[in-house]
Amino acid sequence: MPQATKALFDNFKRIAAVTVQTLGRNCEVAIHDFSQLPHSLVHIEGNVTRRRIGAPVTDLVLRVLRHDKDGVKDMANYKTVTRDGRILKSSTTFIRNPAGKVIGAFCINYDVTEHLNAIAMLEDFVHTTDAEEDENFAASFGE
């Protein structure tokens, strides 16, 4: 790997570490080096998808990369679902060399399952009927 490419990936690894430290246990950042396909996962912070170094890039990333090649656009805030049913909010930024060639991907996966469960619980808790009743909250019986 050329020194400039190594420095680029090293920078992304540091950004991955800070991102997971900032966002916490529900966050994972995966870094893929496309020169190492099909075992492109070269760095991972967090453990949301339970993947390990040497895992392949996802089918979605491969599909858009094969279709759009170096013109591929970054993808932000798309929904993915893990094999065990957890819902993730994911984003992928394509890593490019100075010539603009896509050489890897920086992927953020954030497990929003607990957040969605909390929203559902709160919606259930605050739910009222649609009918409004005229009610007087008096301070004494005489009112």
Side-chain angles (χ1 to χ4, degrees):
M1 173 184 293
Q3 187 60 30
T5 301
K6 181 183 179 327
L8 183 63
F9 276 96
D10 287 345
N11 284 334
F12 277 109
K13 289 174 184 178
R14 289 194 338 273
I15 295 168
V18 169
T19 300
V20 171
Q21 289 169 15
T22 301
L23 297 177
R25 66 180 170 82
N26 288 333
C27 183
E28 168 188 280
V29 177
I31 300 174
H32 294 271
D33 178 352
F34 294 156
S35 72
Q36 298 189 31
L37 290 173
H39 307 287
S40 63
L41 184 61
V42 294
H43 186 80
I44 193 158
E45 293 283 337
N47 191 27
V48 171
T49 61
R50 296 178 175 86
R51 292 178 296 165
R52 302 281 179 243
I53 301 297
V57 70
T58 66
D59 57 336
L60 171 64
V61 171
L62 275 179
R63 264 195 322 273
V64 298
L65 189 58
R66 285 182 178 152
H67 183 266
D68 297 332
K69 301 186 180 16
D70 289 332
V72 69
K73 303 256 189 269
D74 295 339
M75 302 178 296
N77 301 317
Y78 55 93
K79 178 182 174 182
T80 53
V81 181
T82 63
R83 287 184 181 163
D84 61 356
R86 290 175 293 123
I87 299 171
L88 309 182
K89 176 181 173 178
S90 298
S91 295
T92 298
T93 297
F94 291 94
I95 301 170
R96 300 170 192 277
N97 68 13
K101 178 176 174 35
V102 174
I103 59 171
F106 181 91
C107 306
I108 301 171
N109 298 302
Y110 191 88
D111 186 345
V112 296
T113 307
E114 292 174 358
H115 297 73
L116 294 171
N117 289 339
I119 289 168
M121 187 271 309
L122 289 171
E123 286 176 344
D124 188 48
F125 183 74
V126 301
H127 175 74
T128 59
T129 62
D130 291 335
E132 285 188 31
E133 299 294 335
D134 190 20
E135 184 174 20
N136 183 14
F137 293 95
S140 69
F141 187 74
E143 285 184 38

